[in-house]
Amino acid sequence: PRHDKERRKYARLRLLVRSALASRSEEQPARFDAFERALAELRDSGDAAERSLAAAAYRLVGDLVEYEETGIVALRAAVEIEFAALRADAATPPGLLGFLAFLVAEMDGGPALG
């Protein structure tokens, strides 16, 4: 967030996300925090490959949200392919993968990763 209004909005949304995650399991807020840190580090990196990883993770989260809203089967397949590509990339930080793995596992009400 660049402006005070955006920062306040983000802080409120972040609190809601962490609260919802805490109701699922104790470790999920920590996974979210690690994801958030890894994403920010990649995004702010001077390295084009790292910024590309951040963009891919951001797109994946967007696709997960869209799939949750629409249930489009082709989008679910795309999510799985995108996640597999991130997992296969040795440069993808574990902090990024842990939370994304949880979200992917939760599609269609699946079991949460422990």
Side-chain angles (χ1 to χ4, degrees):
R2 293 173 295 220
H3 305 289
D4 190 47
K5 185 176 179 180
E6 289 177 353
R7 278 190 286 279
R8 285 193 312 266
K9 181 179 179 182
Y10 182 80
R12 281 192 309 273
L13 292 173
R14 186 176 188 279
L15 180 62
L16 288 172
V17 167
R18 292 186 91 256
S19 295
L21 290 169
S23 72
R24 299 289 307 199
S25 74
E26 290 179 18
E27 62 265 348
Q28 294 317 320
R31 278 188 177 158
F32 174 75
D33 294 344
F35 169 79
E36 189 178 46
R37 276 190 306 277
L39 189 61
E41 288 171 6
L42 290 171
R43 182 199 63 213
D44 296 340
S45 169
D47 185 288
E50 288 184 358
R51 287 194 314 272
S52 178
L53 274 175
Y58 187 74
R59 279 191 309 273
L60 178 58
V61 171
D63 287 347
L64 281 158
V65 170
E66 186 176 349
Y67 174 71
E68 181 66 27
E69 292 173 346
T70 64
I72 297 171
V73 175
L75 189 54
R76 187 186 202 294
V79 163
E80 291 175 352
I81 292 167
E82 291 169 18
F83 180 64
L86 279 173
R87 247 189 5 208
D89 189 333
T92 304
L96 204 68
L97 290 175
F99 185 64
L100 290 173
F102 168 74
L103 293 178
V104 170
E106 284 290 303
M107 285 191 306
D108 302 323
L113 298 178

